[in-house]
Amino acid sequence: MIAAVIPAVPGLLGLLVCAALWEAVPRLGLVDPDFLPPFTTTLNALRGELADAAFWTALGDTLTGWALGLALATAGGILAGLVIATVPHLRELTASTVEFLRPIPSVALIPLAILLYGTELRSVLLLVVYAAFWQVLVQVLYGVQDVDPVADDTARAFGLGPWARVRHVVWPTALPYVMTGVRLAAAVALILAITVELVIGAPGLGHRINVAQSSQAVPDMYALILVAGCLGVLINTGARFVERRALSWHQSVRAEGPA
């Protein structure tokens, strides 16, 4: 128990230092408290948000957009990555297209999302899936490329078909890359979900932050930003937990010790 707590101590100390600085800077007059309220004032505003049913509705909207977008991006990235990487010459044919589309920022597609779907959930999904899809796809391509050619040739020699080779040779090698892609995509999906809500006004935490800012409810705005940060930490921690459980057999995880 103590061994599990000790690694978290530096991180907790860092958070306490940040909270202390946040409290001290406006109280010492280094910034205007009207624009940056003290940490304790933000906590009081957070307490009020937690007691508001509209906050939980907004949180649910954000998590719905995030989860659906991540699931679609993960499924599409894995399927497309396996097909592109295992079908001869398909990777060369699609390489230029992937390199052209991947660097396009998702926020640049916001006008297109508004034109197609307005402020509906589908706008959030369109941009979240676009941003998260590439994280998974590229990792799957790297994972399949890392397959040992001797093992693949051996599988062919033993008469394994394409599906059996994917299942028994390609997938075990690609899985660590896939899990890395999913973990990166989870964080990107959350960032995009809140950004889209903030910019186009789709229901969710981002929209609630925008409303708080425009109505001069500054402590509530910082409280909601604090919630978004905590949500990111929880999602990253959950993704790492799932990754360690899924790769408990892998050498890289066993070397880190028990999950």
Side-chain angles (χ1 to χ4, degrees):
M1 179 66 181
I2 295 177
V5 170
I6 288 177
V9 170
L12 292 174
L13 286 176
L15 290 176
L16 289 175
V17 170
C18 288
L21 287 173
W22 187 348
E23 181 72 20
V25 166
R27 292 195 181 282
L28 293 174
L30 298 178
V31 296
D32 191 335
D34 290 338
F35 301 132
L36 181 62
F39 183 66
T40 51
T41 304
T42 303
L43 287 183
N44 289 332
L46 177 60
R47 194 175 300 116
E49 288 288 340
L50 296 178
D52 189 349
F55 164 78
W56 295 104
T57 302
L59 181 62
D61 290 335
T62 296
L63 289 178
T64 299
W66 167 80
L68 286 176
L70 179 62
L72 292 172
T74 300
I78 292 175
L79 181 61
L82 289 176
V83 171
I84 291 173
T86 55
V87 175
H89 307 303
L90 191 55
R91 184 161 187 167
E92 288 79 6
L93 289 174
T94 59
S96 298
T97 305
V98 170
E99 292 305 319
F100 171 73
L101 294 175
R102 189 162 65 97
I104 297 176
S106 292
V107 290
L109 302 178
I110 286 178
L112 173 64
I114 295 175
L115 288 174
L116 290 176
Y117 304 119
T119 59
E120 297 179 10
L121 174 62
R122 288 185 291 179
S123 291
V124 178
L125 290 179
L126 173 65
L127 298 172
V128 168
V129 169
Y130 184 84
F133 171 79
W134 303 113
Q135 307 292 330
V136 180
L137 175 67
V138 171
Q139 289 297 323
V140 173
L141 294 178
Y142 286 150
V144 176
Q145 192 176 24
D146 199 37
V147 171
D148 186 353
V150 175
D152 195 31
D153 291 341
T154 303
R156 291 176 188 272
F158 276 92
L160 269 66
W163 170 245
R165 291 203 305 276
V166 168
R167 181 181 177 186
H168 297 292
V169 179
V170 175
W171 184 248
T173 302
L175 186 57
Y177 293 88
V178 172
M179 296 308 301
T180 299
V182 172
R183 177 162 50 82
L184 296 174
V188 170
L190 177 65
I191 293 171
L192 258 297
I194 294 178
T195 300
V196 174
E197 293 163 358
L198 184 66
V199 174
I200 73 174
L205 283 178
H207 178 56
R208 199 168 171 82
I209 290 173
N210 192 28
V211 171
Q213 188 270 335
S214 59
S215 60
Q216 302 298 316
V218 178
D220 292 274
M221 182 189 73
Y222 281 106
L224 292 167
I225 293 173
L226 196 60
V227 170
C230 293
L231 203 56
V233 172
L234 289 176
I235 286 175
N236 188 57
T237 303
R240 285 191 176 278
F241 175 77
V242 172
E243 183 180 22
R244 289 171 63 86
R245 298 288 293 182
L247 300 176
S248 58
W249 52 271
H250 197 266
Q251 183 180 1
S252 61
V253 173
R254 290 206 307 267
E256 295 177 6

